[in-house]
Amino acid sequence: MIYRLKYDPAAEAVHEAMPPAASEALTLALADACYDPIAATQPYGEDDGVMRMLVTEQAFAVLLVGDTFKTITVLQVTYLG
């Protein structure tokens, strides 16, 4: 089942401000995570299957995976430049 993507407003602002190539790479990685959030991400802290991290060459995102409602909430985006 496909997960629905949600954004914290601050994380969305960072993603929108990123250069096009870095933004596209993060967008594609997030799309992969919507199909299989565990396979497409890494544990963030303890591997509880809920708090996950998505890493690309120029950015990383902290995600909250909600299995009950099939949502992935982007809590933080950091552009590494």
Side-chain angles (χ1 to χ4, degrees):
M1 175 176 254
I2 298 176
Y3 284 67
R4 185 171 51 93
L5 194 62
K6 296 169 37 176
Y7 269 92
D8 173 87
E12 186 173 25
V14 172
H15 190 175
E16 289 177 354
M18 290 169 51
S23 177
E24 181 179 6
L26 183 59
T27 298
L28 293 173
L30 286 167
D32 288 344
C34 286
Y35 285 96
D36 190 348
I38 301 304
T41 61
Q42 301 172 18
Y44 184 74
E46 184 178 327
D47 190 1
D48 58 6
V50 176
M51 293 299 296
R52 306 293 292 179
M53 184 170 58
L54 183 66
V55 181
T56 66
E57 237 179 78
Q58 294 183 317
F60 73 87
V62 177
L63 311 174
L64 175 66
V65 178
D67 285 329
T68 302
F69 294 110
K70 300 295 183 200
T71 59
I72 296 176
T73 303
V74 182
L75 300 175
Q76 176 185 345
V77 172
T78 302
Y79 173 60
L80 305 173

